[in-house]
Amino acid sequence: QVQLVESGGGVVQAGGFLRLSCAASGRTFSGYIMGWFRQAPGKEREFVAAINWSGASTRYADSVKGRFTISRDNAKNTVYLQMNSLKPEDTGVYYCAAGPAARHMTVIGRYDYWGQGTQVTVSS
């Protein structure tokens, strides 16, 4: 069965850092784009970051640009999100996702497979 499993979430003070991991199993996501999305209570799920198969192309939400870095290791079928200089508004459940599209990486509808999420809480 195809699965995406996130890990690395937790509680951190503002200005701190976390690294999230997303391990895929059940298939190899050859050629797929991988993305990270987050959802705060009472709000819709929003785009955070994305990366294409080769890793040559990345996209970031304006709110995290310069603070977050997405990367992938295709040999390990894993994608990462390094989050630095965290702010309270970064709090939410973070989801990883995979999609076959080679473009429009910021659009949530382009992703077919989703993990179950990991909680990130940033305190003031």
Side-chain angles (χ1 to χ4, degrees):
Q1 187 175 23
V2 175
Q3 283 191 321
L4 300 176
V5 181
E6 302 95 336
S7 63
V11 181
V12 65
Q13 291 185 337
F17 60 89
L18 287 171
R19 189 178 78 149
L20 306 183
S21 299
C22 175
S25 63
R27 62 157 293 169
T28 300
F29 288 90
S30 179
Y32 273 55
I33 58 173
M34 301 292 294
W36 287 95
F37 295 78
R38 67 188 181 189
Q39 188 168 24
K43 299 182 67 176
E44 294 185 0
R45 194 169 300 182
E46 66 177 2
F47 170 78
V48 176
I51 188 168
N52 73 344
W53 170 250
S54 70
S57 181
T58 58
R59 298 288 186 273
Y60 297 94
D62 289 342
S63 59
V64 307
K65 196 171 299 180
R67 300 187 297 119
F68 291 11
T69 303
I70 189 171
S71 61
R72 67 191 298 170
D73 186 338
N74 292 334
K76 296 181 178 179
N77 229 13
T78 302
V79 63
Y80 306 94
L81 185 68
Q82 179 67 45
M83 305 186 295
N84 298 328
S85 302
L86 284 162
K87 304 175 180 179
E89 51 262 46
D90 294 319
T91 294
V93 178
Y94 282 68
Y95 301 87
C96 70
R103 58 182 179 176
H104 305 300
M105 293 192 297
T106 66
V107 180
I108 194 169
R110 305 297 279 173
Y111 296 86
D112 299 326
Y113 300 95
W114 292 83
Q116 55 193 328
T118 185
Q119 177 71 42
V120 172
T121 302
V122 184
S123 62
S124 302

